[in-house]
Amino acid sequence: MPFDSLTLTRPDDFHLHLRDGAALAAVLPHSARQFARAIVMPNLRPPVATVGQAAAYRQRVLDARPREGAGSDFEPLMTLYLTDRTSADEVRRAKAQGIVGFKLYPAGATTHSDAGVTDLKHVQAALDAMQREGVALLVHGEVVDPEVDVFDREAVFIERHLLALRRDFPALKMVLEHITTREGVQYVAEAGPLTAATITPQHLLYNRNAIFSGGLQPHWYCLPVLKSEEHRRALVAAATSGKPCYFLGTDSAPHAAALKEHAGGHAGCYTAFSALELYAEVFEAAGALERLEAFASFHGADFHGLPRNRGTLTLRREPWTLPERLPFGDAELKPLRAGETLAWRLAD
Ligand code: DOR
Ligand code: ZN
């Protein structure tokens, strides 16, 4: 007898892009309805690189919450953008102000990563301070070497950089964000209790064929790019394994539809509108719905040393159709799976 409804402790999104201004106002209610808390990525322009910038950004996020009802108690967990110039003092201030982590973007790896780290040798003092203070390093794990195939960038990053990082900073808490490969799954499984990974809904649901089926599909283009079926299966096995080192992080990354649907289209899938429903589909297909709660609501909080949420939310088996477009300031936003029918629906 399949489940017809599923009640979970309120979940968290451990990897989210909220943007700023009108875009923030448009997307925040979607995440706040689904998640009690979210780790907010700092890749604004200019980047959120200081404690002062993070405090101001946090206030703008709070101001975008619904005034009352569902989502009005949403809590943003702030991060800072690691740059070649991040000082040990900034790390100490970050710790004191409750910043949960620093995001490492190799310069040039993705959207708004030009202020990122050009060489890990420039951030040794900051990493040392993070290790001592117990501040997490959140890693976009892809090399930017143009000679490395785009589908191999994560596996090569692990070989070239992550092994050495772990060796040099054995007590540093690290999250390999949005893992996309069998190598990522395996590395995290074997790296010990201070290493974890987030996994997105799109990397669990789709392989790279989705980007090319029936013509070029820009809404399925994100970074790290979708990989082959073998890798997708390894991710599903990891997410549904019950192992505490894997947890939910949507990497929901809104871009105006017009900026995705043109040459040089932007990278990012917008999944915040229906994230839990998408994950539920994955867990159900794997026969592991009873493990969704730990993945969505326990493992990430435990890893980051946060209390588990109180309260619950309920998913019902109830087909519904995702809107074609959502308002996005002056523009429009196309959710992943726009116009398609989903099997699960979050109850109000
Ligand atoms: O697809 C992506 N979009 N990957 C990232 O790493 C950044 C994100 C964004 O901010 O748009
Ligand atoms: Zn991201």
Side-chain angles (χ1 to χ4, degrees), residues 49-55 78-80 85-102 126 129-130 132-135:
T50 67
V51 167
Q53 287 169 319
M78 305 310 290
T79 59
L80 292 187
R85 291 166 306 286
T86 302
S87 66
D89 278 344
E90 197 64 42
V91 173
R92 282 187 282 273
R93 280 192 289 273
K95 174 67 181 181
Q97 295 302 313
I99 298 291
V100 294
F102 279 76
M130 289 168 63
R132 272 187 281 112
E133 298 288 336
V135 177

Side-chain angles (χ1 to χ4, degrees), residues 20 33 38 49 60 152-153 155 160 166 170 190 230 235 243 265 288 307 331 340 345:
D20 210 346
R33 183 172 162 263
R60 298 196 295 279
D152 297 333
R153 287 182 179 176
R160 282 195 195 164
R166 182 36 88 217
E190 293 167 1
E230 167 205 353
L235 295 170
K243 289 189 191 161
E340 291 185 35
R345 184 169 203 167

